[in-house]
Amino acid sequence: MAPPTTVATASLPAPGRSSKLLIWIVVAVGLAAAAGAAAYFLLPRFTGGAASAAEAPKPAAPEKPIFVMLDPLTVNLQAEGRSRFLQIGMALRVRDEHAKAQIVEFMPELRSRLLVLLSNRPPESLVTPEDKAKLAGEIRTALNAPLTPETPELGISSVSFNIFVVQ
């Protein structure tokens, strides 16, 4: 007869003990989450966080824009064989009332700068939105140049077209 063989069994924890440990871990995590939520919602009231947020200064309202409307201009375009014209009207956005007053005072010179800048352009260079944006930048640069050696640049921040007709 063969000697009886013994089967080695791994020692497993008692089923009642592991389930109790798991329950205690879940309860501890739940209590920690509840304590964190309570601290998040209640602590600002005790430390003045909610009151200071309500009393915080509101951001300043954006300043009212200042525009100078220019009378429409009509200029000859460089065309091969036939006459082509550009009729353009625009508004200049300026930084302050002083710049607006300077533009009104020097309007004849500014219109002359515009006529020189716009005349004899090929009509094909004024077709796409990119071309018009580039032209607006050129106009802003030309008009922002100082009017006299003693004066600073005008402070024109943007040029908006309200009439743009190529004929």
Side-chain angles (χ1 to χ4, degrees):
M1 226 159 100
T5 57
T6 59
V7 178
T9 59
S11 65
L12 296 173
R17 184 172 182 220
S18 65
S19 64
K20 286 181 182 177
L21 179 62
L22 182 63
I23 290 173
W24 282 108
I25 291 173
V26 169
V27 169
V29 169
L31 287 174
Y40 177 77
F41 287 110
L42 297 176
L43 256 148
R45 294 183 185 165
F46 295 119
T47 59
S52 63
E55 296 170 6
K58 294 179 182 177
E63 292 184 23
K64 182 179 176 186
I66 302 171
F67 289 100
V68 179
M69 300 295 291
L70 277 77
D71 292 332
L73 295 168
T74 302
V75 297
N76 292 326
L77 294 176
Q78 185 182 40
E80 297 176 16
R82 63 181 190 150
S83 297
R84 303 281 308 260
F85 301 98
L86 169 66
Q87 184 180 15
I88 189 168
M90 63 191 84
L92 307 175
R93 185 174 183 164
V94 295
R95 68 174 171 241
D96 56 21
E97 291 292 333
H98 178 69
K100 181 178 179 178
Q102 275 190 314
I103 289 172
V104 170
E105 182 180 350
F106 287 91
M107 186 59 71
E109 183 177 338
L110 295 176
R111 286 182 65 86
S112 175
R113 286 183 188 181
L114 279 172
L115 288 170
V116 170
L117 178 69
L118 296 172
S119 64
N120 293 320
R121 286 183 174 262
E124 299 81 30
S125 70
L126 303 170
V127 176
T128 66
E130 292 82 18
D131 294 337
K132 293 173 185 171
K134 181 180 175 189
L135 179 62
E138 291 174 10
I139 290 171
R140 187 177 65 79
T141 301
L143 296 183
N144 257 338
L147 297 166
T148 65
E150 302 84 36
T151 59
E153 67 177 32
L154 285 177
I156 298 169
S157 60
S158 68
V159 175
S160 302
F161 299 122
N162 50 26
I163 299 173
F164 200 97
V165 180
V166 178
Q167 297 180 1

